[in-house]
C-alpha cells in the first residue's frame, strides 16, 4: 500500500527538482557541457534521499 502512494510522489518530486535545476542552469548561465554533470549529480542525490526516506518510513 505504501509503495502505491510513494512512487507517484517520488516521480513528482524528481520532475519538480529537474525543473528547478533547469531554471538554475539558465539563471546562472551554466555551460551546456557542465549541465549534464549538474543534472546527474542532483538526480543521484535526490534518488538516494527518496530511497532512504522510503526505507525509513517502511521500517519505522
Amino acid at each position: 500500500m505504501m509503495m502505491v502512494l510513494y512512487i507517484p510522489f517520488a516521480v513528482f518530486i524528481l520532475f519538480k527538482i529537474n525543473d528547478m535545476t533547469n531554471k538554475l542552469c539558465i539563471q546562472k548561465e551554466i555551460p551546456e557541457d557542465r549541465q549534464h554533470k549538474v543534472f546527474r549529480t542532483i538526480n543521484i542525490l535526490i534518488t538516494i534521499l527518496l530511497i532512504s526516506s522510503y526505507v525509513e518510513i517502511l521500517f519505522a
Side-chain angles (χ1 to χ4, degrees):
M1 174 66 182
M2 183 58 147
M3 188 178 285
V4 173
L5 297 174
Y6 196 80
I7 289 177
F9 170 74
V11 170
F12 174 74
I13 294 297
L14 278 172
F15 277 119
K16 288 305 285 184
I17 294 295
N18 278 331
D19 184 47
M20 290 190 294
T21 303
N22 187 34
K23 290 177 183 176
L24 173 74
C25 289
I26 292 170
Q27 181 181 7
K28 296 296 181 182
E29 299 175 355
I30 297 174
E32 287 285 331
D33 56 335
R34 290 191 54 215
Q35 285 183 13
H36 178 69
K37 290 181 182 180
V38 171
F39 274 95
R40 182 177 26 170
T41 303
I42 291 176
N43 283 334
I44 289 171
L45 292 173
I46 293 299
T47 303
I48 291 170
L49 179 68
L50 288 168
I51 290 171
S52 64
S53 65
Y54 177 74
V55 169
E56 184 177 342
I57 290 170
L58 188 64
F59 294 113

